[in-house]
Amino acid sequence: MFKKIMGMFGGLKGATLAEAGEVSKWASYGEAEWKDLFAGLVQAGDLEEVYKHILLCPLHWSVGLLGFLQQSSFQPADPGDQATYSKLCSLSPAPDWPLMIPQPVQVGSLSHRGKGVSLIFSTDGQNLVTIDAGGDINVWHAPDERTMQRIQPTAPVPVESRTVSPDFKFCTTSSQDAIRVWNLHTGDLVSKFRWEWSEGTSPAILSSPADSVIACWFSDDKIRLIEPLSGEIRHTLTGHDDLVTSCAFTADGKLLISGGKDASVRIWDVETGQMLHFLERRTGGEAVTHVSLSLDGKFLLVKRENSPLQIFDPPTRRQVCEVRMGKGVDMATPVYSPTHDTVALVLLKAQEDKESQMRVAIYEMATGRQIRDLPPTYLNFPSPVYSADGEFLAATGADHAVLWPVKGNGQDAICKREAWTMAFAPNGQILAAGERDKRIRLFSMPETREVADLGSWQQCRYLSFSPDSGILAAVGDDRSVRVFRVALTQPMALMGKREVDLAKKYSTTVEGEPGKAWSYLGEVLAARTRKPA
């Protein structure tokens, strides 16, 4: 029976997943679609198709499908097939085995007229919004693999701030002339409004993570909470004695924290508009330049001019520790670890007759202790990004990107690539790099083994994975966005001489690397039948 299955896949020998139309379609399936397809095959008693789909579907779904098989009444009629079927039903995951990635398939292409394209995925990974600095907006829908809306203002106006509502229904942009709210489902301009802000400036805007309200602040001492659909002001928050400089919502959207040039930090009730708490000013009255909360909301970071970074406990509003960065050193927006214990800071130090020196340092938030200090760079702004498990940090510099262990000060870099940008998949299995040779490559983590090459393109400036790791979006120098579907397959163990012999038969040596399969099926079988090195 396995020989028959191998024969069915003979046409895939030497082909990539992108060239195999049917397999490419399967790569886009979700768990429910796999189960529906699988149930039909079981009911039809098509054993060959059952085997084929077990081999090709991703691990975390195939394990569930095998459980589905075990609960079904399906049994092969041939005694030889029954033994093989029993073997398939007893498969177990082998998470320490090499990761397999079928060739990613490009499933979308979006164009923009303006520079500075932002990529924003919905929390379920079903939608992608791209916004440029000229106000062009694209809405791409993953299940249909098509652009649902393309919004192009008649007269492009430079967009300074942009935000998308948590339900992904609306996008708000801020320009010097007005604040605009767009319906992402219909493409319609829902509202347009402005107040008397200083000429040559535009308001900063921030969406609440749990409400439709937008916080807006600009060249005065007030914060306005706005209803985006009507443009009406729900509350005007007054209390600062000078310009408001920074704001942050708590994760539940119930509180807003603000800092200002009056050196104060204030905490507001979003529902009532009342000020609840006031953090004591530091001696000297230095202006607050930044406030933000860690991803779990347990730490509040406050930065003032010419002062150490302060870390507070939000419930008690007591200072936990300080981070002293050195004289004349300022910081950019912090990057928080997904494990909530560390924070990466881009530190800037102005130097006479030289460009500003930039470096990345990592600190423990509970103690303020520096645990990693990366080498400085004088060119491109370094953009640090954490891996999903918080164990690694990728920092891009002048013309290269380096992967560092977070808690290994003194330990050498794990990987260095000539790349402009890097991104980790949220599942922790993949690192994507937009490299200087104008190719996008994927690497398995943590061994940083190259597993896929997405081909030649424009210089890639920014990469982002969807929350489910199944979609990778890339922004190029030509202002276009390419969207790829990435099927991640963690191999399972198929133990037994019969399966090993088949794997050897349907795999070949490529570029001198023993055992590397040439066909996709052979690659899967080979990976599932060899022990890790």
Side-chain angles (χ1 to χ4, degrees):
M1 180 57 68
F2 262 102
K3 290 182 179 179
K4 293 181 181 179
I5 298 173
M6 294 298 107
M8 293 191 306
F9 283 93
L12 287 180
K13 198 171 183 69
T16 66
L17 185 64
E19 296 166 335
E22 186 179 11
V23 180
S24 174
K25 179 183 69 176
W26 293 340
S28 68
Y29 278 7
E31 183 175 5
E33 292 168 304
W34 274 109
K35 284 188 175 180
D36 289 344
L37 179 60
F38 216 62
L41 295 172
V42 170
Q43 291 173 2
D46 192 336
L47 184 60
E48 294 181 351
E49 289 294 312
V50 169
Y51 287 163
K52 181 168 68 174
H53 285 75
I54 289 175
L55 290 173
L56 291 176
C57 66
L59 170 70
H60 60 291
W61 294 336
S62 58
V63 171
L65 295 178
L66 289 169
F68 177 79
L69 255 186
Q70 293 168 341
Q71 298 172 14
S72 72
S73 58
F74 170 71
Q75 285 292 331
D78 189 294
D81 291 339
Q82 289 179 4
T84 306
Y85 173 78
S86 298
K87 177 72 70 176
L88 288 170
C89 288
S90 63
L91 292 177
S92 59
D96 57 338
W97 284 28
L99 178 72
M100 306 303 301
I101 301 181
Q103 180 64 29
V105 182
Q106 183 176 337
V107 292
S109 181
L110 310 171
S111 61
H112 280 270
R113 297 178 296 176
K115 297 181 179 180
V117 179
S118 297
L119 304 174
I120 305 172
F121 279 101
S122 58
T123 54
D124 60 6
Q126 298 294 295
N127 295 285
L128 167 66
V129 170
T130 65
I131 315 170
D132 67 35
D136 285 3
I137 303 172
N138 287 304
V139 183
W140 186 82
H141 190 51
D144 298 329
E145 296 181 354
R146 67 186 182 93
T147 302
M148 303 295 289
Q149 289 296 336
R150 179 167 173 77
I151 302 170
Q152 288 188 320
T154 306
V157 178
V159 171
E160 302 295 336
S161 300
R162 62 207 83 171
T163 183
V164 175
S165 62
D167 58 11
F168 247 64
K169 291 181 179 179
F170 304 100
C171 175
T172 305
T173 62
S174 172
S175 303
Q176 292 183 15
D177 68 328
I179 295 175
R180 294 172 175 83
V181 180
W182 302 89
N183 186 315
L184 295 178
H185 292 181
T186 66
D188 295 332
L189 179 62
V190 177
S191 59
K192 175 182 176 181
F193 46 89
R194 68 159 291 142
W195 302 279
E196 295 301 322
W197 53 72
S198 300
E199 185 176 352
T201 64
S202 61
I205 53 176
L206 184 67
S207 288
S208 165
D211 197 355
S212 60
V213 69
I214 295 172
C216 170
W217 64 101
F218 44 91
S219 51
D220 65 8
D221 56 3
K222 299 177 179 61
I223 305 166
R224 295 158 179 84
L225 301 182
I226 306 166
E227 298 283 357
L229 297 186
S230 64
E232 295 181 357
I233 298 176
R234 180 191 292 184
H235 298 295
T236 299
L237 311 183
T238 58
H240 283 283
D241 300 325
D242 206 333
L243 298 182
V244 176
T245 56
S246 182
C247 290
F249 280 104
T250 54
D252 58 10
K254 294 181 179 180
L255 302 177
L256 178 73
I257 301 170
S258 65
K261 291 192 71 174
D262 61 355
S264 72
V265 175
R266 300 167 189 265
I267 302 176
W268 311 83
D269 185 305
V270 172
E271 182 64 30
T272 65
Q274 299 297 310
M275 186 179 72
L276 301 178
H277 305 291
F278 174 89
L279 270 63
E280 185 177 353
R281 291 184 176 91
R282 288 180 63 90
T283 304
E286 304 93 340
V288 175
T289 58
H290 174 85
V291 296
S292 65
L293 289 157
S294 59
L295 299 179
D296 59 357
K298 292 184 178 180
F299 297 100
L300 167 64
L301 271 63
V302 177
K303 181 66 176 71
R304 292 180 167 89
E305 290 180 350
N306 304 315
S307 297
L309 174 68
Q310 296 174 280
I311 301 180
F312 292 88
D313 174 47
T316 64
R317 299 173 301 285
R318 292 180 179 176
Q319 181 172 311
V320 176
C321 60
E322 286 187 341
V323 173
R324 297 186 178 276
M325 299 173 289
K327 186 177 180 180
V329 176
D330 202 355
M331 70 167 220
T333 302
V335 178
Y336 293 101
S337 167
T339 53
H340 318 306
D341 55 345
T342 66
V343 59
L345 304 179
V346 177
L347 305 178
L348 304 89
K349 183 175 183 180
Q351 300 188 114
E352 293 183 7
D353 304 323
K354 289 185 180 181
E355 294 186 60
S356 294
Q357 184 190 76
M358 303 178 189
R359 62 186 178 89
V360 177
I362 305 174
Y363 298 87
E364 285 183 343
M365 285 192 285
T367 65
R369 182 175 67 91
Q370 184 183 97
I371 59 175
R372 167 69 82 174
D373 189 12
L374 307 188
T377 178
Y378 292 90
L379 294 174
N380 287 4
F381 194 82
S383 305
V385 56
Y386 276 98
S387 60
D389 58 6
E391 294 294 322
F392 303 98
L393 186 81
T396 55
D399 56 359
H400 61 270
V402 184
L403 186 65
W404 301 89
V406 168
K407 297 180 181 179
N409 211 13
Q411 184 177 346
D412 291 339
I414 295 174
C415 176
K416 183 176 181 179
R417 305 290 302 184
E418 291 187 354
W420 291 107
T421 182
M422 282 185 170
F424 289 100
N427 64 10
Q429 295 177 299
I430 297 297
L431 172 67
E435 306 204 324
R436 287 176 61 84
D437 61 0
K438 299 184 178 180
R439 305 182 82 88
I440 300 172
R441 293 181 172 88
L442 304 186
F443 302 86
S444 62
M445 287 296 296
E447 65 271 17
T448 64
R449 175 176 58 90
E450 183 177 332
V451 291
D453 184 335
L454 277 58
S456 181
W457 184 40
Q458 298 286 326
Q459 189 67 66
C460 178
R461 294 297 179 178
Y462 183 60
L463 293 163
S464 181
F465 279 95
S466 60
D468 62 3
S469 303
I471 298 292
L472 173 65
V475 179
D477 261 352
D478 61 352
R479 306 175 188 179
S480 68
V481 178
R482 285 191 178 185
V483 186
F484 299 89
R485 192 173 291 281
V486 183
L488 306 179
T489 303
Q490 186 76 31
M492 293 190 300
L494 272 176
M495 304 307 294
K497 184 177 184 301
R498 183 181 185 188
E499 290 81 4
V500 171
D501 290 343
L502 283 166
K504 291 178 179 178
K505 180 178 179 181
Y506 290 94
S507 63
T508 60
T509 299
V510 179
E511 298 177 356
E513 183 179 342
K516 182 173 181 180
W518 182 250
S519 70
Y520 173 55
L521 178 63
E523 192 172 0
V524 172
L525 284 174
R528 292 181 180 183
T529 55
R530 65 175 181 263
K531 288 290 185 181

